[in-house]
Amino acid sequence: MSRSSYRLLPNVALADIAFRANAGSPSELFESCSRALTDVMVDRRSLRAVETRTLVLRAEGLDGLLYDFLTQLIIIKDVDSLLFKEFDVKVDREGKSLTSELRGEPIDRERHRLRNDVKAVTMYMFGVKRSGARYSATVVLDI
Amino acid sequence: MSASSKFKQVSDVVWEVPTSYKEGMNVPARIYATKKLLDGMDQGVFEQVTNVAALPGIERYSYAMADAHWGYGFPIGGVAAFDPEKGVISPGGIGFDVNCGMRLIRTNLRYKDVKPKIKELVDLLFRLVPAGVGVKGAVRLNQGQFEEVMRWGVRWCGENGYGWKEDADMVEEGGYIKGADPSKVSRQASSRGISQLGTLGSGNHYLEIQQVDPARFFDAKMGKHFGLVEDDQVVIMIHCGSRGFGHQVGSDYLRIFDGAMKRYGITVKDRELSCAPFSSKEGTDYYGAMVCAANMAFANRQVIVQRVREAFKTVFKKDAEALDMHIIYDVCHNIAKVERHALDGASKDVVVHRKGATRSFGPGHRDIPLPYRDIGQPVIIGGSMETGSYLLLGTSKAMTETFGSTAHGSGRTMSRTAAKKQVRGEELQRSMEKRGIYVKAATYEGLAEEAGMAYKDISEVVDTMDRAGISKKVAALKPLGNIKG
């Protein structure tokens, strides 16, 4: 297994899509989750990294921070029609804030291999867990 | 042990789960299903319908309809009514896609008129009605105009060139629910919704050209009330909701209710059952915001209706009026509303949550449009794109048994991942075309995920509700052409 990765959970939430991500740090975990979310919406290989956005967020803890971060990616998709190919996330030591640099481009229906539109991150099974030096997150997306 | 051997059988299609099933249940649960459907339901339905039974202020029963399957918090196919003072309102009892619903439009065309032009029609509709990831509609609004949409729904559309004067009357609640409060909608929710009017979305949403199935036009006499006079008449069905707007409203208030529950001393058996007292500030705020999303959904379907009329006019070279393209009806199937129902010998306001469930008001109800008031409201139940849909009528029995509610669709039985493993989108498209259904989808993956085999048998669901007497079959509707998000 690479240092950060995710796998789909096909038997969770039949009408929707669930995944579990693993990583060696909160920052890598957030990057894995953002790749998983984007992979549900588009084949990332068809995207180019030509536009950069910076996102700074604060929350009460890692759970809320991840929920807000993924929700922001969905909002940017709907409001600005932007999808991202690359994600650099830095979560602070306390797990209460992050800065991220997101690189992608506006949706192009001719060139991008689009998949499912994600409408929301649900609270179902949602959460970040730490086991020793590893972090994992379970996320169920409403399609 | 099978569910049918665990639960009390009330009739051949009604089962009861007693309050002893789980600690904290305030009322029993009732499940509408044949033995086969009941035993085929996932365990999640039984856990969720009984979790709902434990919510404060629930009245009479927690219900699961024949199409019930696991959802977030409430099961999809769930109905629950709450006392407005002692009870709660819960986004999990409405669904993220607020006022997802069905709209049915008639034409005076017949199968033989439409069949030769079905590809031209579907291809044009696919261009006119945006579907898929991150799409935007053609209606450009500023914030003030969008707030008018939130308040007035289809009425706004009628006044702004997106419909006919009479359209709003043929939509549940007259095209808008009273009580919208745009000040309770977050800036982010507004920014997601403002450019989405007239878009189909994705997932299980669709726009379908259908014909009355000549072999299953069950009640032609009632059909005439809807303008269905031919046994192969062509109709158009629209299934979509409030898009990202409704989802954002739901997400915003789930976070707010998480904190509110602690203040009000409410504990729930599942985080997705987050709720607040209906009469509390948080409950009132959410209701005002949720109604905004519901009215946006009515308007969204209305703008799509106008696009459909344009497409038919272009292809058939006749005005939509000449094609008799009137709305038969529009139903919400993800909603909470304050309704008056008979309860314990009195007439009482209750907050009815229908999540994946359809209103099914019987003859004589004042909320039914005049043309249908004597027969009961039209109930539109959508199936998968391969198996077709149904038009039914609401009944008096639904008023006395289920707070005027029935099922909404067929209900998924297979995950999206499993469906994609079983069939490829391209193959499915070809196989459907051989069977006389021309389908165009935003993506082949999305098409495969919505294959008919991933859903329950809609006919069994509809037969169950008909046998239970909480809605009565009028006509089955066969797909001819379909656009998928």
Side-chain angles (χ1 to χ4, degrees):
Chain A
M1 186 187 280
S2 63
R3 272 156 50 80
S4 70
S5 65
Y6 74 87
R7 65 185 169 87
L8 295 175
L9 307 173
N11 296 319
V12 174
L14 285 189
D16 294 314
I17 294 179
F19 66 84
R20 182 164 295 138
N22 284 284
S25 71
S27 298
E28 288 173 0
L29 184 72
F30 278 46
E31 288 169 2
S32 282
C33 288
S34 48
R35 281 194 290 271
L37 165 63
T38 306
D39 288 347
V40 170
M41 298 191 282
V42 64
D43 181 342
R44 262 186 306 126
R45 289 170 301 184
S46 67
L47 291 175
R48 296 178 307 187
V50 294
E51 195 167 326
T52 303
R53 280 285 175 99
T54 305
L55 208 54
V56 179
L57 293 172
R58 289 195 65 80
E60 293 294 307
L62 264 188
D63 276 12
L65 198 59
L66 180 62
Y67 184 90
D68 290 345
F69 178 60
L70 296 177
T71 298
Q72 283 304 317
L73 296 181
I74 295 168
I75 291 171
I76 293 170
K77 176 262 299 174
D78 276 347
V79 176
D80 302 324
S81 297
L82 274 176
L83 290 170
F84 300 105
K85 183 183 181 78
E86 296 167 0
F87 307 85
D88 282 333
V89 185
K90 301 272 181 295
V91 177
D92 78 345
R93 288 171 67 90
E94 290 183 323
K96 292 187 173 180
S97 71
L98 67 78
T99 56
S100 60
E101 192 175 285
L102 317 168
R103 290 178 293 276
E105 66 175 331
I107 294 172
D108 179 338
R109 277 170 212 293
E110 299 300 316
R111 193 160 45 78
H112 295 153
R113 289 190 291 279
L114 297 165
R115 294 171 173 159
N116 282 296
D117 201 12
V118 175
K119 293 162 197 154
V121 180
T122 75
M123 289 285 193
Y124 180 65
M125 294 174 73
F126 185 86
V128 177
K129 282 188 182 157
R130 182 177 182 177
S131 175
R134 303 286 301 172
Y135 291 81
S136 71
T138 305
V139 179
V140 182
L141 302 169
D142 195 346
I143 300 298
Chain B
M1 192 192 292
S2 65
S4 58
S5 58
K6 273 194 299 190
F7 304 144
K8 179 183 155 195
Q9 188 161 13
V10 179
S11 75
D12 65 335
V13 287
V14 182
W15 307 78
E16 188 164 312
V17 188
T19 51
S20 57
Y21 179 82
K22 184 182 281 180
E23 195 183 335
M25 282 173 69
N26 295 314
V27 293
R30 283 214 163 173
I31 303 166
Y32 284 73
T34 56
K35 182 174 181 297
K36 183 180 161 199
L37 284 175
L38 182 77
D39 287 336
M41 279 179 187
D42 51 293
Q43 180 64 23
V45 172
F46 311 129
E47 291 312 312
Q48 292 190 319
V49 76
T50 50
N51 286 347
V52 173
L55 289 175
I58 186 167
E59 300 276 18
R60 205 190 290 155
Y61 297 108
S62 166
Y63 301 89
M65 297 294 153
D67 53 345
H69 55 286
W70 179 93
Y72 302 109
F74 279 50
I76 295 162
V79 176
F82 296 88
D83 181 284
E85 295 303 320
K86 298 176 198 150
V88 294
I89 185 164
S90 171
I94 293 164
F96 272 102
D97 191 0
V98 174
N99 189 8
C100 184
M102 313 292 304
R103 187 172 295 199
L104 191 64
I105 310 151
R106 69 172 179 249
T107 73
N108 55 16
L109 297 165
R110 303 184 65 172
Y111 173 78
K112 64 178 170 44
D113 305 317
V114 173
K115 189 63 193 168
K117 300 194 170 190
I118 194 71
K119 283 191 178 177
E120 187 187 349
L121 200 48
V122 167
D123 289 348
L124 179 56
L125 282 166
F126 192 75
R127 287 203 299 277
L128 291 176
V129 183
V133 180
V135 288
K136 291 184 188 299
V139 182
R140 294 280 167 263
L141 301 173
N142 60 35
Q143 179 64 23
Q145 290 167 321
F146 189 44
E147 289 183 8
E148 290 301 292
V149 172
M150 295 182 209
R151 286 191 184 91
W152 301 108
V154 180
R155 300 270 164 195
W156 179 90
C157 296
E159 287 164 13
N160 289 275
Y162 298 101
W164 299 348
K165 191 168 150 284
E166 61 273 32
D167 284 344
D169 294 336
M170 305 314 268
V171 173
E172 194 167 311
E173 300 291 328
Y176 76 101
I177 301 173
K178 294 178 189 69
D181 186 350
S183 74
K184 303 305 175 192
V185 171
S186 72
R187 185 182 53 78
Q188 288 193 320
S190 283
S191 65
R192 283 183 77 178
I194 200 163
S195 57
Q196 292 186 323
L197 269 194
T199 61
L200 198 58
S202 71
N204 63 351
H205 295 144
Y206 59 80
L207 193 171
E208 194 164 86
I209 299 164
Q210 306 167 334
Q211 66 160 113
V212 172
D213 184 343
R216 295 184 299 159
F217 196 1
F218 309 104
D219 195 336
K221 191 177 156 201
M222 287 300 160
K224 283 198 177 76
H225 289 272
F226 305 138
L228 299 179
V229 293
E230 305 287 353
D231 66 0
D232 63 350
Q233 199 166 328
V234 170
V235 295
I236 302 106
M237 184 174 278
I238 298 164
H239 175 215
C240 63
S242 50
R243 308 278 289 107
F245 182 53
H247 282 75
Q248 195 58 44
V249 168
S251 297
D252 292 342
Y253 279 89
L254 269 181
R255 297 290 299 270
I256 293 168
F257 283 11
D258 246 1
M261 284 198 301
K262 292 186 193 99
R263 283 196 293 283
Y264 295 111
I266 298 172
T267 53
V268 291
K269 292 180 183 294
D270 174 351
R271 198 174 176 186
E272 291 278 344
L273 282 175
S274 256
C275 58
F278 182 69
S279 56
S280 67
K281 181 187 181 305
E282 292 84 352
T284 307
D285 288 354
Y286 171 63
Y287 187 75
M290 186 274 296
V291 169
C292 289
N295 292 342
M296 183 274 189
F298 282 139
N300 187 31
R301 294 196 284 275
Q302 179 63 30
V303 172
I304 293 174
V305 166
Q306 279 308 91
R307 299 287 179 256
V308 171
R309 287 171 174 158
E310 283 168 39
F312 272 71
K313 181 182 173 185
T314 303
V315 172
F316 293 97
K317 302 190 173 37
K318 271 187 183 177
D319 282 343
E321 288 89 345
L323 293 168
D324 192 35
M325 294 184 73
H326 288 277
I327 296 169
I328 290 180
Y329 205 49
D330 177 299
V331 293
C332 319
H333 57 221
N334 275 1
I335 199 75
K337 287 195 288 192
V338 180
E339 294 174 355
R340 204 153 187 85
H341 286 274
L343 199 66
D344 304 327
S347 177
K348 182 183 169 181
D349 278 345
V350 283
V351 187
V352 183
H353 290 59
R354 296 191 184 93
K355 180 186 185 181
T358 312
R359 202 183 73 174
S360 184
F361 282 1
H365 198 287
R366 66 181 178 182
D367 289 348
I368 300 175
L370 276 173
Y372 310 139
R373 193 164 296 170
D374 291 343
I375 59 169
Q377 75 159 83
V379 171
I380 305 162
I381 296 198
S384 77
M385 61 188 176
E386 291 187 81
T387 53
S389 302
Y390 282 85
L391 179 61
L392 299 93
L393 271 177
T395 66
S396 302
K397 197 170 180 200
M399 302 310 294
T400 54
E401 274 196 18
T402 56
F403 293 101
S405 311
T406 188
H408 88 304
S410 43
R412 247 191 127 84
T413 56
M414 188 186 283
S415 74
R416 292 181 177 279
T417 316
K420 273 190 295 194
K421 279 185 184 157
Q422 300 234 350
V423 66
R424 285 169 54 84
E426 295 92 326
E427 282 168 29
L428 181 61
Q429 188 185 41
R430 281 195 294 273
S431 131
M432 286 176 68
E433 198 167 343
K434 279 185 195 156
R435 284 174 280 145
I437 309 166
Y438 179 60
V439 58
K440 203 161 166 80
T443 70
Y444 281 121
E445 284 186 34
L447 185 66
E449 290 173 9
E450 291 299 320
M453 68 188 174
Y455 285 86
K456 282 182 195 176
D457 177 359
I458 181 145
S459 298
E460 185 152 7
V461 168
V462 167
D463 285 344
T464 303
M465 310 321 275
D466 187 275
R467 273 162 67 187
I470 58 173
S471 43
K472 299 306 277 182
K473 290 189 290 188
V474 175
L477 306 168
K478 269 168 65 171
L480 299 175
N482 183 301
I483 292 160
K484 287 230 58 82

